[in-house]
Protein backbone atom coordinates (compact mmCIF):
# COMPACT_ATOMS: atom_id res chain seq x y z
CA UNK A 1 0.00 0.00 0.00
CA UNK A 2 1.26 3.45 -0.90
CA UNK A 3 2.19 5.69 1.99
CA UNK A 4 -0.03 8.63 2.76
CA UNK A 5 1.30 12.04 1.87
CA UNK A 6 1.38 14.83 4.41
CA UNK A 7 2.00 18.44 3.41
CA UNK A 8 3.76 20.66 5.92
CA UNK A 9 2.84 24.27 5.17
CA UNK A 10 5.27 26.96 6.36
CA UNK A 11 4.39 30.62 5.81
CA UNK A 12 7.52 32.74 5.82
CA UNK A 13 7.95 36.48 5.73
CA UNK A 14 11.47 37.88 6.05
CA UNK A 15 12.67 34.78 7.85
CA UNK A 16 16.25 34.55 6.54
CA UNK A 17 17.57 34.20 10.07
CA UNK A 18 15.23 31.52 11.33
CA UNK A 19 14.55 29.62 8.12
CA UNK A 20 17.84 27.66 7.76
CA UNK A 21 17.41 26.25 11.27
CA UNK A 22 13.79 25.52 10.56
CA UNK A 23 14.48 23.65 7.32
CA UNK A 24 17.19 21.68 9.03
CA UNK A 25 14.92 20.54 11.84
CA UNK A 26 12.04 19.76 9.50
CA UNK A 27 14.35 17.71 7.25
CA UNK A 28 15.56 15.75 10.25
CA UNK A 29 12.00 15.06 11.26
CA UNK A 30 10.71 13.90 7.88
CA UNK A 31 13.78 11.69 7.43
CA UNK A 32 12.88 9.99 10.68
CA UNK A 33 9.15 9.64 10.06
CA UNK A 34 9.26 6.86 7.51
CA UNK A 35 5.64 5.82 7.96
CA UNK A 36 4.45 8.71 5.78
CA UNK A 37 5.63 10.62 2.75
CA UNK A 38 6.11 14.34 3.19
CA UNK A 39 5.86 17.42 1.09
CA UNK A 40 7.11 20.64 2.67
CA UNK A 41 5.37 23.60 1.12
CA UNK A 42 6.91 26.98 1.87
CA UNK A 43 4.80 30.02 1.20
CA UNK A 44 6.98 33.06 0.80
CA UNK A 45 4.80 35.99 1.71
CA UNK A 46 6.61 38.60 -0.37
CA UNK A 47 9.79 38.63 1.70
CA UNK A 48 12.31 41.35 1.01
CA UNK A 49 15.34 39.51 2.37
CA UNK A 50 17.03 36.25 1.32
CA UNK A 51 14.10 34.02 2.28
CA UNK A 52 13.26 33.09 -1.33
CA UNK A 53 16.88 32.26 -2.18
CA UNK A 54 17.12 29.97 0.83
CA UNK A 55 13.93 28.23 -0.20
CA UNK A 56 15.01 27.83 -3.84
CA UNK A 57 18.32 26.36 -2.83
CA UNK A 58 16.59 23.85 -0.57
CA UNK A 59 14.26 22.88 -3.39
CA UNK A 60 17.25 22.12 -5.63
CA UNK A 61 18.78 19.86 -3.03
CA UNK A 62 15.63 18.12 -1.92
CA UNK A 63 12.55 17.71 -4.11
CA UNK A 64 10.32 17.04 -1.13
CA UNK A 65 10.45 20.79 -0.61
CA UNK A 66 8.31 22.98 -2.83
CA UNK A 67 7.35 26.60 -2.61
CA UNK A 68 4.90 29.28 -3.63
CA UNK A 69 6.24 32.83 -3.74
CA UNK A 70 3.84 35.75 -3.48
CA UNK A 71 4.15 38.90 -5.57
CA UNK A 72 4.03 40.99 -2.42
CA UNK A 73 3.27 40.68 1.28
CA UNK A 74 -0.34 39.58 1.65
CA UNK A 75 -0.26 38.55 5.31
CA UNK A 76 -0.14 35.23 7.06
CA UNK A 77 -3.83 34.44 6.70
CA UNK A 78 -3.62 34.60 2.92
CA UNK A 79 -0.32 32.70 2.93
CA UNK A 80 -2.07 29.89 4.79
CA UNK A 81 -4.84 29.88 2.21
CA UNK A 82 -2.34 29.64 -0.65
CA UNK A 83 -0.74 26.77 1.20
CA UNK A 84 -4.08 24.96 1.26
CA UNK A 85 -4.59 25.60 -2.44
CA UNK A 86 -1.22 24.18 -3.43
CA UNK A 87 -0.97 21.33 -0.94
CA UNK A 88 -1.12 17.85 -2.44
CA UNK A 89 -1.23 15.87 0.78
CA UNK A 90 -3.91 13.72 2.37
CA UNK A 91 -3.45 15.98 5.36
CA UNK A 92 -1.74 19.29 5.97
CA UNK A 93 0.17 20.62 8.95
CA UNK A 94 0.74 24.33 9.51
CA UNK A 95 3.88 25.38 11.28
CA UNK A 96 5.59 28.74 11.78
CA UNK A 97 9.01 29.34 10.27
CA UNK A 98 10.41 30.65 13.54
CA UNK A 99 10.25 27.24 15.27
CA UNK A 100 8.01 28.55 18.02
CA UNK A 101 5.94 25.48 17.33
CA UNK A 102 8.37 22.60 17.83
CA UNK A 103 8.29 20.21 14.83
CA UNK A 104 8.83 17.36 17.28
CA UNK A 105 5.11 17.54 18.11
CA UNK A 106 4.22 16.57 14.54
CA UNK A 107 4.39 12.77 15.04
CA UNK A 108 1.82 13.11 17.81
CA UNK A 109 -0.48 15.11 15.54
CA UNK A 110 -0.15 12.40 12.89
CA UNK A 111 -0.87 9.69 15.43
CA UNK A 112 -4.28 11.16 16.24
CA UNK A 113 -5.02 11.76 12.58
CA UNK A 114 -4.42 8.07 11.95
CA UNK A 115 -6.89 7.37 14.75
CA UNK A 116 -9.57 9.17 12.75
CA UNK A 117 -9.48 12.77 13.94
CA UNK A 118 -9.86 15.41 11.23
CA UNK A 119 -8.48 18.44 13.02
CA UNK A 120 -5.69 17.83 15.51
CA UNK A 121 -4.73 21.15 17.04
CA UNK A 122 -1.81 21.92 19.27
CA UNK A 123 -2.69 23.86 22.38
CA UNK A 124 -0.08 25.95 24.16
CA UNK A 125 0.70 24.84 27.68
CA UNK A 126 3.09 27.76 28.13
CA UNK A 127 4.35 30.66 26.10
CA UNK A 128 8.01 31.35 26.60
CA UNK A 129 9.59 34.57 25.44
CA UNK A 130 6.39 36.53 25.03
CA UNK A 131 5.61 39.73 26.87
CA UNK A 132 2.85 39.79 29.49
CA UNK A 133 1.09 42.40 27.38
CA UNK A 134 0.90 40.02 24.44
CA UNK A 135 -0.28 37.16 26.66
CA UNK A 136 -2.90 39.36 28.27
CA UNK A 137 -4.21 40.84 25.03
CA UNK A 138 -4.48 37.43 23.46
CA UNK A 139 -6.36 36.11 26.50
CA UNK A 140 -8.83 38.97 26.42
CA UNK A 141 -9.25 38.59 22.70
CA UNK A 142 -10.22 34.94 23.00
CA UNK A 143 -12.70 35.82 25.65
CA UNK A 144 -14.40 38.54 23.58
CA UNK A 145 -14.44 36.41 20.45
CA UNK A 146 -15.99 33.51 22.35
CA UNK A 147 -18.67 35.70 23.93
CA UNK A 148 -19.73 36.97 20.55
CA UNK A 149 -19.89 33.77 18.63
CA UNK A 150 -22.04 30.71 18.78
CA UNK A 151 -19.33 28.26 17.68
CA UNK A 152 -16.77 27.12 20.21
CA UNK A 153 -13.32 28.60 19.73
CA UNK A 154 -10.26 26.75 20.97
CA UNK A 155 -8.34 28.67 23.58
CA UNK A 156 -4.56 29.14 23.46
CA UNK A 157 -4.43 27.62 20.04
CA UNK A 158 -2.70 29.16 17.07
CA UNK A 159 -2.39 27.87 13.57
CA UNK A 160 -0.19 24.94 14.57
CA UNK A 161 -2.39 21.98 13.66
CA UNK A 162 -3.03 19.07 11.36
CA UNK A 163 -6.04 19.09 9.06
CA UNK A 164 -7.43 16.20 7.11
CA UNK A 165 -7.98 16.88 3.40
CA UNK A 166 -11.71 17.04 4.08
CA UNK A 167 -11.14 20.11 6.22
CA UNK A 168 -8.78 21.47 3.59
CA UNK A 169 -11.43 21.11 0.91
CA UNK A 170 -13.95 22.75 3.21
CA UNK A 171 -11.67 25.71 3.93
CA UNK A 172 -10.91 26.10 0.24
CA UNK A 173 -14.56 26.83 -0.36
CA UNK A 174 -14.49 29.77 2.04
CA UNK A 175 -12.93 32.39 -0.17
CA UNK A 176 -13.78 35.56 1.71
CA UNK A 177 -11.14 38.26 1.60
CA UNK A 178 -10.94 39.29 5.24
CA UNK A 179 -9.98 36.00 6.77
CA UNK A 180 -9.51 34.82 10.29
CA UNK A 181 -8.33 31.24 10.19
CA UNK A 182 -8.80 30.66 13.90
CA UNK A 183 -12.53 31.16 13.71
CA UNK A 184 -12.77 29.37 10.38
CA UNK A 185 -11.16 26.22 11.81
CA UNK A 186 -13.90 26.24 14.42
CA UNK A 187 -16.64 27.08 11.98
CA UNK A 188 -16.07 24.11 9.68
CA UNK A 189 -16.49 21.67 12.55
CA UNK A 190 -15.34 18.01 12.21
CA UNK A 191 -13.76 15.76 14.77
CA UNK A 192 -11.25 17.77 16.76
CA UNK A 193 -8.48 16.61 19.05
CA UNK A 194 -6.28 18.65 21.34
CA UNK A 195 -2.57 18.07 21.87
CA UNK A 196 -0.67 20.04 24.52
CA UNK A 197 2.77 21.53 23.89
CA UNK A 198 5.17 24.16 25.17
CA UNK A 199 5.54 27.12 22.89
CA UNK A 200 9.20 28.05 22.51
CA UNK A 201 10.63 31.49 21.98
CA UNK A 202 11.54 32.47 18.43
CA UNK A 203 14.88 30.90 17.38
CA UNK A 204 16.03 33.97 15.46
CA UNK A 205 14.75 37.19 13.98
CA UNK A 206 11.96 39.35 15.28
CA UNK A 207 8.21 38.88 15.38
CA UNK A 208 6.62 39.95 12.12
CA UNK A 209 3.63 41.39 13.87
CA UNK A 210 3.23 44.98 14.72
CA UNK A 211 0.63 45.83 17.32
CA UNK A 212 -1.36 47.80 14.77
CA UNK A 213 -1.69 44.73 12.60
CA UNK A 214 -2.60 42.56 15.54
CA UNK A 215 -5.42 44.94 16.34
CA UNK A 216 -6.52 44.79 12.70
CA UNK A 217 -6.51 41.03 12.90
CA UNK A 218 -8.51 41.07 16.11
CA UNK A 219 -11.13 43.37 14.61
CA UNK A 220 -11.21 41.22 11.49
CA UNK A 221 -11.73 38.17 13.63
CA UNK A 222 -14.72 39.65 15.38
CA UNK A 223 -16.33 41.31 12.40
CA UNK A 224 -15.81 38.47 9.96
CA UNK A 225 -17.25 35.99 12.38
CA UNK A 226 -20.24 37.67 13.91
CA UNK A 227 -22.53 40.55 13.13
CA UNK A 228 -23.25 41.22 16.79
CA UNK A 229 -21.55 44.66 16.77
CA UNK A 230 -24.27 45.68 14.34
CA UNK A 231 -26.85 44.91 16.99
CA UNK A 232 -25.45 47.60 19.28
CA UNK A 233 -27.97 50.10 17.89
CA UNK A 234 -30.84 47.83 18.83
CA UNK A 235 -29.46 47.46 22.36
CA UNK A 236 -29.18 51.23 22.79
CA UNK A 237 -32.63 51.86 21.33
CA UNK A 238 -34.37 49.83 24.01
CA UNK A 239 -33.22 51.84 27.10
CA UNK A 240 -33.75 55.08 25.19
CA UNK A 241 -37.33 54.13 24.45
CA UNK A 242 -37.89 53.14 28.07
CA UNK A 243 -36.45 56.49 29.18
CA UNK A 244 -38.78 58.31 26.82
CA UNK A 245 -41.87 56.47 27.99
CA UNK A 246 -40.89 56.88 31.64
CA UNK A 247 -40.30 60.58 31.35
CA UNK A 248 -43.48 61.01 29.30
CA UNK A 249 -45.60 59.42 32.00
CA UNK A 250 -43.80 61.38 34.70
CA UNK A 251 -44.39 64.72 32.93
CA UNK A 252 -48.09 64.03 32.30
CA UNK A 253 -48.77 62.76 35.81
CA UNK A 254 -46.94 65.70 37.34
CA UNK A 255 -48.95 68.14 35.18
CA UNK A 256 -52.23 66.59 36.28
CA UNK A 257 -51.35 66.51 39.98
CA UNK A 258 -49.86 69.97 40.22
CA UNK A 259 -52.31 71.49 37.72
CA UNK A 260 -49.33 73.16 35.99
CA UNK A 261 -49.16 72.52 32.23
CA UNK A 262 -46.14 70.60 30.84
CA UNK A 263 -43.15 72.95 30.86
CA UNK A 264 -41.24 73.91 27.72
CA UNK A 265 -37.99 72.25 28.90
CA UNK A 266 -39.89 69.05 29.62
CA UNK A 267 -41.32 69.10 26.14
CA UNK A 268 -37.83 69.53 24.72
CA UNK A 269 -36.45 66.62 26.74
CA UNK A 270 -39.37 64.51 25.56
CA UNK A 271 -38.81 65.42 21.92
CA UNK A 272 -35.09 64.70 22.13
CA UNK A 273 -35.67 61.33 23.75
CA UNK A 274 -38.37 60.46 21.27
CA UNK A 275 -36.34 61.23 18.18
CA UNK A 276 -33.21 59.65 19.60
CA UNK A 277 -35.14 56.44 20.17
CA UNK A 278 -36.64 56.49 16.69
CA UNK A 279 -33.27 57.21 15.08
CA UNK A 280 -31.36 54.52 16.90
CA UNK A 281 -34.11 52.02 16.22
CA UNK A 282 -33.94 52.75 12.50
CA UNK A 283 -30.17 52.30 12.63
CA UNK A 284 -30.73 48.96 14.29
CA UNK A 285 -33.04 47.86 11.50
CA UNK A 286 -30.56 48.94 8.84
CA UNK A 287 -27.89 47.08 10.80
CA UNK A 288 -29.89 43.88 10.77
CA UNK A 289 -30.26 44.00 7.00
CA UNK A 290 -26.65 44.98 6.54
CA UNK A 291 -25.66 41.97 8.62
CA UNK A 292 -27.62 39.68 6.37
CA UNK A 293 -26.09 41.17 3.23
CA UNK A 294 -22.68 40.83 4.85
CA UNK A 295 -23.20 37.15 5.56
CA UNK A 296 -24.52 36.56 2.07
CA UNK A 297 -21.67 38.43 0.42
CA UNK A 298 -19.15 36.00 1.87
CA UNK A 299 -20.96 33.24 -0.08
CA UNK A 300 -19.79 30.58 2.31
CA UNK A 301 -21.17 27.11 1.78
CA UNK A 302 -24.12 26.51 4.07
CA UNK A 303 -22.77 23.32 5.61
CA UNK A 304 -20.20 20.58 5.34
CA UNK A 305 -21.17 16.95 5.50
CA UNK A 306 -19.20 14.57 7.66
CA UNK A 307 -20.68 11.29 6.45
CA UNK A 308 -23.11 10.23 3.76
CA UNK A 309 -24.63 6.75 4.09
CA UNK A 310 -21.71 5.73 6.25
CA UNK A 311 -19.12 7.05 3.81
CA UNK A 312 -16.86 9.92 4.82
CA UNK A 313 -17.51 12.99 2.71
CA UNK A 314 -14.37 14.45 1.15
CA UNK A 315 -15.94 17.81 0.18
CA UNK A 316 -14.02 17.59 -3.05
CA UNK A 317 -16.71 18.14 -5.63
CA UNK A 318 -17.22 21.83 -5.15
CA UNK A 319 -13.68 23.00 -4.54
CA UNK A 320 -11.75 24.95 -7.13
N1 LIG B 1 4.20 35.60 8.51
C1 LIG B 1 3.79 35.70 7.18
N2 LIG B 1 3.34 36.91 6.73
C2 LIG B 1 3.26 38.01 7.53
C3 LIG B 1 3.64 37.88 8.90
C4 LIG B 1 4.10 36.67 9.35
O1 LIG B 1 3.83 34.73 6.44
O2 LIG B 1 2.84 39.05 7.04
C5 LIG B 1 4.70 34.30 9.01
C6 LIG B 1 6.06 34.37 9.69
O3 LIG B 1 7.10 34.25 8.77
C7 LIG B 1 6.01 33.18 10.63
C8 LIG B 1 4.52 33.12 11.01
O4 LIG B 1 3.83 33.85 10.01
O5 LIG B 1 6.36 31.97 10.00
C9 LIG B 1 4.26 33.68 12.39
O6 LIG B 1 4.79 34.99 12.48
P1 LIG B 1 5.49 35.53 13.79
O7 LIG B 1 6.36 34.47 14.38
O8 LIG B 1 6.15 36.80 13.43
O9 LIG B 1 4.23 35.79 14.71
P2 LIG B 1 4.11 35.50 16.29
O10 LIG B 1 4.64 34.12 16.51
O11 LIG B 1 4.94 36.54 16.94
O12 LIG B 1 2.65 35.62 16.57
MG1 LIG C 1 6.37 33.43 15.98
Amino acid sequence: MAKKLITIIIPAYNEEEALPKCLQRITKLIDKETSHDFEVLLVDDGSKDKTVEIIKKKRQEDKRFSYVAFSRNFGKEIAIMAGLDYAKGDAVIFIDADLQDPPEVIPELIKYWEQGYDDVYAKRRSRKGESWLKKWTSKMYYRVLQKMSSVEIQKDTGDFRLLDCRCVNALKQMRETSRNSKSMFSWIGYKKKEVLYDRDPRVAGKTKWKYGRLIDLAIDGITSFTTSPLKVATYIAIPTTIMFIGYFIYAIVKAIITQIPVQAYQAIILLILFFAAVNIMLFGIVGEYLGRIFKESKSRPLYFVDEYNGKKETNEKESK
Side-chain angles (χ1 to χ4, degrees), residues 25 33 42 71 112 139 141 171 173 192 200 205 212 223 249 269 291:
R25 238 161 100 184
E33 281 294 305
L42 288 132
S71 56
Y112 286 113
K139 192 171 139 201
Y141 174 59
L171 288 168
Q173 291 171 48
K192 299 194 187 300
D200 293 331
T223 52
I249 294 169
I269 292 175

Side-chain angles (χ1 to χ4, degrees), residues 15 76 96-101 130 134 199-203 206-209:
E15 295 284 7
K76 189 186 175 189
D96 283 356
D98 57 5
L99 292 173
Q100 276 193 286
D101 316 318
E130 285 186 28
K134 185 151 187 209
R199 189 159 166 93
D200 293 331
R202 222 173 208 288
V203 281
K206 277 203 212 59
T207 173
K208 303 294 174 287
W209 292 109

Side-chain angles (χ1 to χ4, degrees), residues 48-78:
K48 292 180 193 77
D49 61 1
K50 297 218 174 59
T51 303
V52 191
E53 279 94 85
I54 297 168
I55 296 173
K56 281 186 180 156
K57 199 165 142 263
K58 187 74 190 175
R59 162 94 186 151
Q60 274 169 6
E61 291 164 10
D62 191 339
K63 285 287 177 287
R64 289 176 298 182
F65 286 75
S66 48
Y67 67 90
V68 187
F70 276 177
S71 56
R72 66 167 172 87
N73 180 245
F74 281 97
K76 189 186 175 189
E77 297 289 328
I78 309 287

Side-chain angles (χ1 to χ4, degrees), residues 200-247:
D200 293 331
R202 222 173 208 288
V203 281
K206 277 203 212 59
T207 173
K208 303 294 174 287
W209 292 109
K210 295 179 189 81
Y211 260 95
R213 266 185 97 172
L214 270 183
I215 293 169
D216 281 352
L217 191 79
I219 293 176
D220 252 13
I222 291 167
T223 52
S224 72
F225 203 35
T226 81
T227 48
S228 42
L230 284 176
K231 292 206 165 72
V232 170
T234 317
Y235 298 144
I236 302 175
I238 294 166
T240 316
T241 312
I242 292 171
M243 258 155 66
F244 166 72
I245 295 171
Y247 196 71

